[in-house]
Amino acid sequence: MGILSRTSYVIRSKVNSLLNRAEDPGETLDYSYEQLRDELQNVKQGIADLTTQKKRLEIQKRRLEENVEKHNEQARQAVEQDRDDLAKRALEKKKQKMNQIEGLERQISDLEKKQDGLIKQKNQLQQQIEEFRTRKETMKARYQAAEASTRVNEAMTGAGEEMEDISRTIERAEEQTEEMEARASALDELRESGALDNAVSDRSDLDRELEDLSTESAVDSELDTIKSEMGKDESVEAEPDVSEETAEPATEDVNLDDIEENVNESEVESELEELKDEET
């Protein structure tokens, strides 16, 4: 099969597919039903025409029969008057009319046969039309039920064209959502690692480390200052005396609760002073 033949075959297949989709069996059945009704109407019209023609012939036959009686009466009158020549002429006309009557009777008989045949065909066609109408309505109901069932099944299974479009839309939305989530996760990792800050900031990693060290040194200095103010400076603590270690312990008891309370009050006062300095 050549390229042109294959192309022609594909085109015919597509056209037939489109025609099958566009064709509505209900409309096709209705059209066929109307065609049958038109045919029945034509048969009825033919019967009416034959009946009219037969009636005309019957009228002509009756007129000829009247003429036959008239010529028969004329022949009798001519015989009574001893006019055989007139009697013969009347009888000749009577014979002509009789021949015409016989021809009309044959024509009428033929028309009656045709009329009977058309009436028989009309009755059969009318019966077929009634049967077709019943079957047509049944087929239309079945098709509509099947069509509704198909639409429901397509909607439920997503097999319809609209559902396919919706499915593709959902898939694209899911892909875009997953892509956006992955991008957001990557940006979070970059931000936590500091790579994102470095990318958008003009400071280098060395600057950030030096700044962290400076902050840590300032905190340690402030902590030493607090300890010095509270008498907790390790550099001014005296070495314990050996004699004092061997000496008897003092008789005065030390209240630990009082020491902790003094320490806590000193810390609170120090923090309050810092807050005041920050406010000013």
Side-chain angles (χ1 to χ4, degrees):
M1 183 181 292
I3 296 176
L4 294 178
S5 299
R6 289 198 298 270
T7 304
S8 177
Y9 177 77
V10 170
I11 292 174
R12 288 197 302 270
S13 300
K14 295 293 185 182
V15 171
N16 290 331
S17 178
L18 291 174
L19 290 176
N20 289 333
R21 290 184 179 180
E23 182 180 0
D24 186 357
E27 294 180 355
T28 304
L29 292 172
D30 289 337
Y31 178 77
S32 299
Y33 177 71
E34 293 300 326
Q35 291 293 106
L36 290 175
R37 286 177 60 86
D38 292 341
E39 188 65 26
L40 177 62
Q41 189 64 30
N42 293 332
V43 173
K44 290 181 178 180
Q45 186 63 41
I47 294 173
D49 293 339
L50 285 176
T51 302
T52 302
Q53 187 65 25
K54 188 183 73 169
K55 290 297 182 181
R56 290 176 180 175
L57 295 178
E58 289 176 350
I59 292 172
Q60 292 179 6
K61 177 185 175 184
R62 285 196 299 269
R63 290 177 180 176
L64 291 173
E65 288 174 348
E66 292 174 356
N67 289 330
V68 168
E69 290 297 330
K70 178 182 178 181
H71 293 317
N72 192 24
E73 183 64 25
Q74 288 175 349
R76 289 175 182 175
Q77 290 177 0
V79 170
E80 290 177 356
Q81 296 176 5
D82 295 329
R83 294 289 306 270
D84 292 342
D85 56 338
L86 294 176
K88 288 180 179 180
R89 288 174 61 185
L91 292 174
E92 288 175 357
K93 290 183 178 181
K94 175 185 176 182
K95 183 62 176 176
Q96 292 176 356
K97 298 298 189 296
M98 291 292 294
N99 293 333
Q100 293 178 5
I101 290 173
E102 290 178 0
L104 290 175
E105 287 178 349
R106 287 193 298 269
Q107 293 180 14
I108 291 171
S109 177
D110 291 339
L111 290 177
E112 286 179 350
K113 290 180 181 179
K114 292 180 180 179
Q115 183 180 15
D116 293 339
L118 287 177
I119 292 174
K120 185 177 180 180
Q121 291 179 4
K122 186 263 296 182
N123 293 333
Q124 292 177 351
L125 181 59
Q126 192 167 3
Q127 183 178 0
Q128 291 177 359
I129 291 174
E130 292 298 325
E131 293 176 355
F132 180 78
R133 184 180 67 82
T134 302
R135 188 174 182 183
K136 172 180 72 71
E137 296 300 327
T138 303
M139 291 296 295
K140 287 176 63 177
R142 288 177 57 190
Y143 178 79
Q144 291 174 357
E147 186 180 21
S149 178
T150 301
R151 287 198 300 267
V152 171
N153 290 331
E154 287 179 350
M156 294 179 64
T157 59
E161 295 181 357
E162 294 181 359
M163 295 304 298
E164 290 179 359
D165 295 337
I166 294 175
S167 299
R168 287 193 293 269
T169 302
I170 293 175
E171 290 177 0
R172 289 196 297 270
E174 289 179 351
E175 292 176 357
Q176 293 175 355
T177 302
E178 292 175 356
E179 182 179 357
M180 187 60 65
E181 290 176 348
R183 184 177 180 184
S185 178
L187 291 174
D188 289 338
E189 292 181 1
L190 292 174
R191 182 180 56 79
E192 291 176 358
S193 65
L196 183 62
D197 293 337
N198 291 336
V200 298
S201 177
D202 56 354
R203 294 185 303 171
S204 63
D205 293 338
L206 179 60
D207 294 334
R208 292 177 58 83
E209 291 180 3
L210 290 175
E211 183 178 356
D212 294 338
L213 290 174
S214 176
T215 302
E216 183 178 359
S217 177
V219 171
D220 293 338
S221 176
E222 185 176 358
L223 179 61
D224 293 338
T225 301
I226 294 172
K227 288 182 178 181
S228 176
E229 293 175 353
M230 296 176 61
K232 293 292 186 177
D233 190 359
E234 295 178 356
S235 60
V236 297
E237 289 182 357
E239 294 293 335
D241 190 4
V242 178
S243 61
E244 292 179 356
E245 292 178 358
T246 56
E248 293 182 359
T251 58
E252 183 180 1
D253 294 334
V254 179
N255 192 344
L256 296 177
D257 293 335
D258 294 339
I259 295 174
E260 292 179 355
E261 183 176 357
N262 293 330
V263 171
N264 291 333
E265 289 179 356
S266 299
E267 292 178 355
V268 172
E269 290 178 356
S270 176
E271 290 180 0
L272 291 175
E273 292 295 330
E274 290 178 359
L275 289 174
K276 290 179 180 180
D277 294 338
E278 291 177 358
E279 290 178 356
T280 56

